[in-house]
Amino acid sequence: MNAPPPMPPDRTRTCLALALLLALGCTVATAAPPVLEEPRAKAAFLYNFARFVRWPETHRPEAGGTIRLCVVGADPVGEALGELDGKPIGDRRITVRTGLTPAEAAACHVVFVPRSQEDRLDAVLAALEGRGVLTVSDIPGFARRGGVIGLRKVNRHLRFEIDAAAARRQGLAVSARLLEIARRYAEESEKEE
């Protein structure tokens, strides 16, 4: 029996994006194809990243408690995250806080650092270093500059990369499933270049 022919690159990328959203259980409602407006798509990624990370004992959300998703400074992602306020992840509920300073963000479990904060990225990462915080950003090269998960737009789709060493420095355990999806995205990106 012959193997099926390889999919064209555009179709492969679409399938990977769909696989991520389905694999991570994305719950952002859309009409027709899953092309979300960008802030809502980023918020969906943040929510789903929180589902696939385990925090260190010292920063782990209490059973029945809250998982704090936060935004440093102001960004439309914060408004989109607001739609997720109170949503459950297991026996915990999401609490959203926006417009935070880096010091305030240290009490959060997931922190989005928007592109508008690029000038102070080093200070933000220094404030969160070793605090058990999952840092996520759309700042170019974020995962190579000390952040844990970098989001980037490829054509019309969001992709992410994970710096496993940065996750370990934060004491985070990232699921093998999420790491595998990031690895597949990286392979796809290499083919595109």
Side-chain angles (χ1 to χ4, degrees), residues 22-172:
L22 293 174
L24 297 179
C26 181
T27 58
V28 175
T30 62
V35 177
L36 306 174
E37 62 181 76
E38 194 168 320
R40 291 184 76 207
K42 289 176 182 174
F45 272 88
L46 291 170
Y47 172 78
N48 284 302
F49 291 152
R51 296 177 61 211
F52 288 85
V53 168
R54 209 175 60 217
W55 285 269
E57 190 76 30
T58 56
H59 200 62
R60 186 167 298 149
E62 293 179 24
T66 60
I67 298 174
R68 291 178 295 275
L69 269 58
C70 304
V71 178
V72 173
D75 190 83
V77 170
E79 187 176 325
L81 275 176
E83 297 174 18
L84 300 174
D85 198 48
K87 188 169 177 58
I89 292 181
D91 67 344
R92 299 170 176 99
R93 297 250 172 224
I94 295 293
T95 297
V96 175
R97 297 185 64 206
T98 62
L100 301 183
T101 66
E104 292 170 330
C108 300
H109 297 98
V110 180
V111 173
F112 181 71
V113 185
R115 194 176 280 219
S116 64
Q117 301 295 313
E118 186 167 9
D119 289 347
R120 53 193 274 204
L121 177 60
D122 291 340
V124 172
L125 290 176
L128 302 178
E129 181 69 30
R131 299 294 190 109
V133 175
L134 174 62
T135 56
V136 183
S137 180
D138 56 359
I139 294 173
F142 180 74
R144 290 183 293 274
R145 295 171 63 182
V148 178
I149 299 180
L151 295 174
R152 61 190 181 105
K153 198 170 180 179
V154 177
N155 298 321
R156 296 179 51 221
H157 303 283
L158 283 177
R159 301 283 194 259
F160 63 90
E161 57 185 346
I162 298 174
D163 182 341
R168 283 192 297 274
R169 285 194 306 273
Q170 292 286 13
L172 301 169

